[in-house]
Amino acid sequence: MPMIKVHFLGAAGTVTGSKFYLETPEKNLMVDCGMFQGLKELRLKNWEPLPINPTRLDAVLLTHGHLDHTGYLPKLVKEGFRGTVHGTAPTLDITEIVLLDSAKIHEEEAQLANTEGYSKHDPALPLYTLKEAEFTLNLFKPQKRDVWHTLSENIKYRFRYNGHIIGATFIEINIYGKRFVFSGDIGRQEDLLLEPPERPKWADYLFMESTYGDKHHPEEDVETILIKLISKTIQQRGHLIILSFAVERLQSLMYLLWHLYKKNRIPNIPIYVDSPMGNNVLSVFERHQHWHRLPMNEYRAMCRHINIVQSYRETWQTIDDPRPKIIIAGSGMVTGGRVLTYLQQLIDRPSTTILLVGYMAEGTRGRKLLEGSNEIKIYGKLYPVKASIYHLESLSAHADQQELLHWLGKLRNIPESVFLVHGEPSDLNTFRAKLNNTFGWHVRVPQLNEALTLVV
């Protein structure tokens, strides 16, 4: 009987670095190829060679375009991968934006480390260069969703709509008659810009994300919270800095603020969006209108109302402008990008308000701000935190525990094995117990770099 070997090369026992390698008698596949973020011990793993031979890898299938699912691709190519990278068209568009932005940040941080001398490496080098990221784009192969695509005689796959961000999918792979389902990141039932996720009907082997496996998103009146923070900002003549993921959340926040203004619930306070990557993502919404529900007339009116920062010079003009203002800066988990310039200049001011949106992984600056840190380190220097810190969890793009269970509700069979991934230990263990109690399934929490052989 055919045997499939599954390697858990990332997002095992942690949230980031999603990489799942499948060895089969016909083809070798990888589902997602993400970069580790957060704790230093995890980030260092990005520099380590993978415990597989990338030259034997035939194809990478991407669930969606976030950095922790795609950011390792240029490194994989550096290690010898020359196969194809498959994803939906908007996923590959987002991945292109993310990889080029990531490469630019890696190059800039290496250059700054060498100039300032705060790295122990001499010279400090980028994980990969812009040229290497650009070469990786040549391997991209966009595919339609809801269509079975053949990789070999006994292996085929399809992408299914999953909410979360534009282009995101879960992936069903049929291997010798057994169905492997990789959930990717599952979106919300109610989302400003996206439809609810579709749901699988059959899974022999299920690889399930658990980001919010032990949590329920709070019932928050997001509009009222934003109105209060904006009023506070105007009264203090300060800055409201909203730190958001550049893909989906940033566009949702733009839409929210535009509607509040249109309904006369907030004054005409200047709003700036400073995220080169986020700006590029806006064009993906325009190109792939059937993947979201933002009307194009609303999209264009929103973009006219909001100031889109185009250059680093404009970033400094925005900081120096004394008027109260709202700044939406793409930052991931406050790990890099333009937002760091704003924090360097403004986080030590009591008149500054910082709003964190979405999930913040352990070890990131975002998590430290959430936990009340009195100072944060940026480019080797410590900055005191005197700004007010707030968190909006209900705008998360990830399904919570109840929504994860709902996503499983259409399965017609009992999976042979369920593997919980993409979660911190408490989330994974709580969700494992929940699945055991709810369905009585055999559930495992694999360890990083664990390899299992499945007989199909």
Side-chain angles (χ1 to χ4, degrees), residues 177-423:
K178 294 286 186 178
R179 183 162 295 182
F180 292 66
V181 177
F182 292 83
S183 75
D185 288 355
I186 300 166
R188 308 294 305 280
Q189 282 298 301
E190 295 183 10
D191 189 284
L192 277 172
L193 303 182
L194 302 176
E195 301 294 338
E198 295 177 1
R199 298 187 284 171
K201 295 180 179 179
W202 193 277
D204 295 299
Y205 298 98
L206 175 61
F207 301 77
M208 180 83 179
E209 73 121 322
S210 314
T211 311
Y212 284 101
D214 72 342
K215 296 180 181 69
H216 296 274
H217 292 314
E219 294 289 333
E220 295 175 316
D221 186 342
V222 174
E223 292 192 356
T224 298
I225 291 170
L226 286 172
I227 289 167
K228 287 181 178 178
L229 293 180
I230 291 166
S231 176
K232 175 176 179 279
T233 298
I234 293 170
Q235 290 171 9
Q236 294 181 339
R237 298 199 57 81
H239 299 76
L240 171 57
I241 305 175
I242 306 178
L243 309 183
S244 170
F245 288 93
V247 185
E248 210 68 46
R249 292 310 89 185
L250 184 145
Q251 292 78 30
S252 296
L253 284 160
M254 291 175 65
Y255 191 54
L256 258 176
L257 292 170
W258 156 242
H259 265 269
L260 287 175
Y261 169 71
K262 203 167 67 164
K263 292 186 292 185
N264 293 317
R265 298 194 68 194
I266 61 172
N268 191 18
I269 180 174
I271 304 171
Y272 293 88
V273 168
D274 195 343
S275 169
M277 184 163 66
N279 298 349
N280 290 330
V281 171
L282 282 170
S283 66
V284 178
F285 274 76
E286 196 155 12
R287 286 199 300 274
H288 301 286
Q289 297 177 27
H290 63 290
W291 277 87
H292 63 85
R293 56 189 191 190
L294 174 59
M296 280 298 102
N297 61 327
E298 288 281 293
Y299 164 86
R300 295 186 180 99
M302 174 183 79
C303 291
R304 285 193 299 269
H305 175 70
I306 293 171
N307 301 287
I308 308 294
V309 176
Q310 301 288 353
S311 68
Y312 197 49
R313 179 177 59 84
E314 290 181 28
T315 296
W316 282 101
Q317 289 174 347
T318 303
I319 292 170
D320 293 337
D321 182 348
R323 295 177 299 168
K325 65 182 72 68
I326 301 168
I327 301 161
I328 309 174
S331 69
M333 304 175 207
V334 202
T335 53
R338 293 267 180 88
V339 69
L340 297 183
T341 302
Y342 288 100
L343 295 186
Q344 284 175 305
Q345 301 302 316
L346 301 172
I347 201 168
D348 63 347
R349 298 184 188 181
S351 61
T352 298
T353 300
I354 293 175
L355 178 62
L356 300 163
V357 178
Y359 188 81
M360 300 291 150
E362 188 179 4
T364 62
R365 292 188 188 93
R367 175 67 73 89
K368 290 176 181 176
L369 289 173
L370 272 183
E371 292 173 346
S373 177
N374 293 321
E375 57 187 14
I376 60 169
K377 183 182 285 187
I378 302 175
Y379 300 136
K381 182 180 177 182
L382 290 171
Y383 292 83
V385 179
K386 296 182 180 178
S388 301
I389 310 296
Y390 295 85
H391 185 213
L392 263 181
E393 194 172 315
S394 60
L395 278 180
S396 170
H398 283 272
D400 65 8
Q401 186 191 85
Q402 185 176 353
E403 291 167 319
L404 292 174
L405 293 173
H406 175 78
W407 188 79
L408 296 167
K410 280 197 173 182
L411 281 179
R412 298 172 181 168
N413 71 312
I414 298 174
E416 295 180 33
S417 289
V418 178
F419 303 100
L420 294 187
V421 296
H422 203 284

Side-chain angles (χ1 to χ4, degrees), residues 23-48:
E23 289 184 88
T24 84
E26 293 183 6
K27 294 284 185 179
N28 295 326
L29 317 175
M30 184 178 285
V31 176
D32 286 340
C33 190
M35 183 184 295
F36 286 107
Q37 297 170 282
L39 294 170
K40 185 176 181 180
E41 63 192 64
L42 288 174
R43 300 197 311 271
L44 289 174
K45 293 184 183 299
N46 293 320
W47 295 86
E48 299 172 3

Side-chain angles (χ1 to χ4, degrees), residues 18 70 100 102 114 121 133 147 161 166 174 180 215 228 230 235 299 319 329 362 372 388 394 448:
S18 288
T70 66
L100 297 181
S102 174
N114 290 323
H121 302 286
V147 175
Y161 187 90
I166 189 168
N174 281 357
F180 292 66
K215 296 180 181 69
K228 287 181 178 178
I230 291 166
Q235 290 171 9
Y299 164 86
I319 292 170
E362 188 179 4
S388 301
S394 60
L448 188 61

